[in-house]
């Protein structure tokens, strides 16, 4: 009777041990998982960065600043043309 209980306990321990080993990832699986996580992160950052630049470019401040610089450049061109007329 004691022998059968001991064998049953040993079988349970062996089964638990083999299941624990199967659940543990190999180095290759860990690198693959890490690579996939990094790809998802960089893809997400790329999309967010692109969206941010589009929002900044379409903002009222950016449009007004661009228009102001364009006006100043046009004024400078006019002033240069008045000062140094083409012959």
């Amino acid at each position: 009777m004691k022998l059968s209980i001991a064998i049953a306990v040993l079988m349970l321990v062996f089964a638990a041990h083999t299941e624990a080993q199967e659940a543990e990832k190999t180095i290759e699986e860990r690198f693959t998982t890490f690579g996939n996580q990094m790809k998802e992160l960089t893809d997400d950052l790329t999309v967010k960065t692109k969206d941010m630049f589009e929002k900044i470019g379409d903002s009222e401040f950016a449009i007004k600043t661009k228009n102001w610089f364009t006006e100043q450049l046009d004024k400078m061109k006019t002033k240069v043309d008045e000062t140094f007329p083409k012959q």
Side-chain angles (χ1 to χ4, degrees):
M1 179 85 170
K2 291 181 182 180
L3 181 60
S4 61
I5 293 174
I7 291 173
V9 169
L10 285 175
M11 292 300 284
L12 288 173
V13 169
F14 180 72
H17 181 68
T18 55
E19 286 179 12
Q21 286 180 344
E22 290 174 3
E24 192 173 316
K25 292 183 178 181
T26 63
I27 297 291
E28 182 180 354
E29 290 172 338
R30 288 182 183 177
F31 277 121
T32 302
T33 303
F34 179 74
N36 291 338
Q37 289 173 343
M38 289 296 109
K39 184 178 181 328
E40 290 174 10
L41 176 69
T42 55
D43 290 345
D44 187 42
L45 285 174
T46 302
V47 169
K48 287 182 179 180
T49 304
K50 182 180 174 185
D51 290 343
M52 180 191 65
F53 277 113
E54 286 177 358
K55 287 179 182 177
I56 289 172
D58 295 339
S59 71
E60 182 180 350
F61 175 75
I63 292 170
K64 285 183 177 182
T65 303
K66 181 180 175 185
N67 290 339
W68 183 82
F69 276 110
T70 303
E71 290 172 4
Q72 297 305 313
L73 183 62
D74 288 342
K75 288 179 184 178
M76 285 177 50
K77 285 180 183 178
T78 305
K79 190 73 168 178
V80 168
D81 286 342
E82 289 173 358
T83 306
F84 304 105
K86 295 181 181 179
Q87 297 174 359

